[in-house]
């Protein structure tokens, strides 16, 4: 699993039938900053992930990629490579509170 920030959404009216009615979100991976463990730094890429939980823009989420993404409930036969599988409440790195949802 990876951590990422939801930065937007994707609308696709034409897609595989198994994906109809599914919410797609743009996720930017967030990396622990080695110079400052109390902060994240954004990754350089963005990922389209299927949302299984109702995440919203600006939230920090956990996402799975590859065949692990299809292990989320209801995705076994859906052609996805990334799925949001958790909405993060807090993150602590090396004894520092790096993220807290209620303060973001």
């Amino acid at each position: 699993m990876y951590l990422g920030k939801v930065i937007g959404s994707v609308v696709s009216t034409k897609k595989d039938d198994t994906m109809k009615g599914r919410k797609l979100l743009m996720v930017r991976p967030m990396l622990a900053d080695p110079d400052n463990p109390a902060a994240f730094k954004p990754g350089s890429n963005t990922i389209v992930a299927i949302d299984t939980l109702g995440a919203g823009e600006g939230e920090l989420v956990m996402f799975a990629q590859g065949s692990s993404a299809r292990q989320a409930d209801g995705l076994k036969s859906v052609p996805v490579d990334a799925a949001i599988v958790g909405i993060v409440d807090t993150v602590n790195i090396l004894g520092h509170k790096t993220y807290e949802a209620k303060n973001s």
Side-chain angles (χ1 to χ4, degrees):
M1 284 189 293
Y2 304 94
L3 292 177
K5 185 173 186 175
V6 177
I7 61 169
S9 61
V10 175
V11 176
S12 174
T13 55
K14 292 184 180 183
K15 57 188 169 223
D16 188 277
D17 285 342
T18 60
M19 294 180 65
K20 288 190 176 171
R22 306 277 187 162
K23 184 173 157 187
L24 301 172
L25 295 175
M26 293 294 296
V27 177
R28 172 146 324 218
M30 299 302 284
L31 310 171
D33 187 338
D35 297 324
N36 180 6
F40 284 118
K41 65 178 189 175
S44 60
N45 59 339
T46 54
I47 294 159
V48 177
I50 198 162
D51 181 25
T52 64
L53 302 173
E57 193 166 336
E59 288 190 290
L60 189 67
V61 296
M62 292 184 297
F63 66 96
Q65 284 190 283
S67 61
S68 296
R70 290 184 300 281
Q71 299 302 311
D73 193 32
L75 296 182
K76 194 158 204 71
S77 64
V78 181
V80 297
D81 186 57
I84 294 171
V85 296
I87 299 174
V88 176
D89 296 315
T90 61
V91 176
N92 291 293
I93 299 174
L94 299 173
H96 296 9
K97 186 168 277 185
T98 306
Y99 174 83
E100 189 167 16
K102 63 183 176 185
N103 293 332
S104 62

